[in-house]
Amino acid sequence: MKRYKALTIAGSDSGGGAGIQADLKTFQELGAYGMSVITAVTAQNTLGVQGVYPMEAAAIRKQLDSIGEDLTPSALKTGMLFSSEIIEIVAAKIKHYGWQNLIIDPVMVAKGGSPLLQQEAVRTLIKHLLPLALVTTPNIPEAELLAKMPIRTLSDREEAAKILFQMGSRYVVIKGGHSSASERLVDLLYDGKSFVYLESKRIDTRHTHGTGCTFSAAVTAEIAQGKTVPQAIRTAKAFIQAAIEHQLGFGGGHGPTNHFAYRSSLTGTRLP
């Protein structure tokens, strides 16, 4: 059986619900071999982020080189990149090694409201990283920052998706979790020509920490294994829907999603 490698370039979450930890769990659950480049270490739990400690530039370069010289990924994703310097390093190494199938999760703010991307780094992400992307997966607040426009309606989301496509990303997914709709959640997929609307039931829960990381990691794992972008998006949506529905209930704040749930639902095995 052929094995496929997926790389995550992101921050470490000590609480295990987001970042590198969520990405590697998702890769494993979907059958991809996971690798990582850590850009920052965060001290966080379900109550919030207590500290952010960026890695030195040399450490990030060395991790990327270690992957590039021996373990070429079939697909890769970026999560928390934190600063302009880190974004520039990552973009340069992606181009140097010719890595394809980049999924960008433009992590900007933690679930509890703590900033995870410096303000000036947004411009750097737009200039250096978005033109390399196969898929970009912002939520509504992230799309507002990237597209520099308020998003209130589905038409606004369509306009923002067009702007992000023009910045270079070949596909754009604007997730609907932050919309004001009460019962149905709509994710929007744009390929430069047409829009696809993916609906699901909204789950009333506070246990949604790491949903963005998990969704983009699921897309990455599927793309690594040769799936088309629409196929990968549909699987990722089913994966995160199951992870939210079958909540673990950990912590006193925004708890993590259940990365076991999707595979358990397919196999009929007992959920942890």
Side-chain angles (χ1 to χ4, degrees):
M1 178 185 293
K2 187 173 181 180
R3 300 294 182 183
Y4 299 90
K5 300 186 293 294
L7 170 65
T8 171
I9 306 171
S12 170
D13 172 7
S14 57
I20 291 285
Q21 287 82 354
D23 293 344
L24 292 177
K25 292 173 189 176
T26 303
F27 291 167
Q28 185 83 7
E29 288 295 306
L30 288 172
Y33 176 78
M35 307 175 294
S36 65
V37 169
I38 297 177
T39 58
V41 172
T42 68
Q44 63 177 298
N45 52 32
T46 69
L47 301 176
V49 178
Q50 291 79 47
V52 177
Y53 308 95
M55 299 293 291
E56 293 182 0
I60 296 172
R61 288 193 184 95
K62 189 63 70 175
Q63 291 178 83
L64 290 162
D65 286 335
S66 292
I67 299 297
E69 292 167 4
D70 185 46
L71 295 164
T72 301
S74 303
L76 67 155
K77 63 155 288 189
T78 60
M80 176 188 173
L81 298 178
F82 187 70
S83 70
S84 292
E85 181 183 28
I86 293 174
I87 292 169
E88 290 177 4
I89 290 169
V90 169
K93 292 296 183 181
I94 289 172
K95 288 189 282 188
H96 174 76
Y97 288 109
W99 291 337
Q100 302 297 312
N101 298 325
L102 170 63
I103 315 302
I104 297 177
D105 177 20
V107 176
M108 297 179 178
V109 179
K111 190 69 67 179
S114 299
L116 298 176
L117 184 69
Q118 294 177 344
Q119 187 60 43
E120 67 271 17
V122 176
R123 292 188 295 272
T124 307
L125 188 148
I126 291 170
K127 179 179 179 180
H128 293 285
L129 208 58
L130 275 179
L132 305 178
L134 173 64
V135 187
T136 305
T137 65
N139 58 33
I140 290 174
E142 291 163 348
E144 288 180 325
L145 285 171
L146 291 170
K148 298 180 181 179
M149 62 172 285
I151 298 176
R152 302 290 181 268
T153 66
L154 193 56
S155 294
D156 291 338
R157 262 193 272 174
E158 292 175 352
E159 183 60 31
K162 290 178 181 178
I163 293 171
L164 297 186
F165 178 83
Q166 291 166 359
M167 290 175 177
S169 185
R170 283 180 279 165
Y171 290 84
V172 178
V173 180
I174 299 183
K175 298 168 294 186
H178 287 75
S179 70
S180 58
S182 58
E183 294 186 2
R184 303 299 294 175
L185 185 153
V186 180
D187 295 334
L188 181 150
L189 170 63
Y190 181 59
D191 64 358
K193 296 179 181 178
S194 60
F195 296 98
V196 175
Y197 310 96
L198 303 170
E199 291 193 26
S200 59
K201 180 182 178 182
R202 185 181 294 276
I203 307 300
D204 184 17
T205 176
R206 60 182 170 83
H207 297 288
T208 57
H209 179 56
T211 51
C213 302
T214 299
F215 178 86
S216 58
V219 174
T220 306
E222 291 293 287
I223 293 295
Q225 296 173 84
K227 303 296 177 58
T228 67
V229 171
Q231 287 173 333
I233 297 298
R234 291 184 185 280
T235 297
K237 188 167 178 64
F239 188 97
I240 196 61
Q241 186 74 12
I244 295 171
E245 284 184 358
H246 301 281
Q247 57 191 260
L248 296 166
F250 293 161
H254 296 287
T257 63
N258 187 345
H259 294 90
F260 302 106
Y262 178 72
R263 185 163 54 146
S264 294
S265 68
L266 293 181
T267 61
T269 56
R270 183 173 176 269
L271 283 169

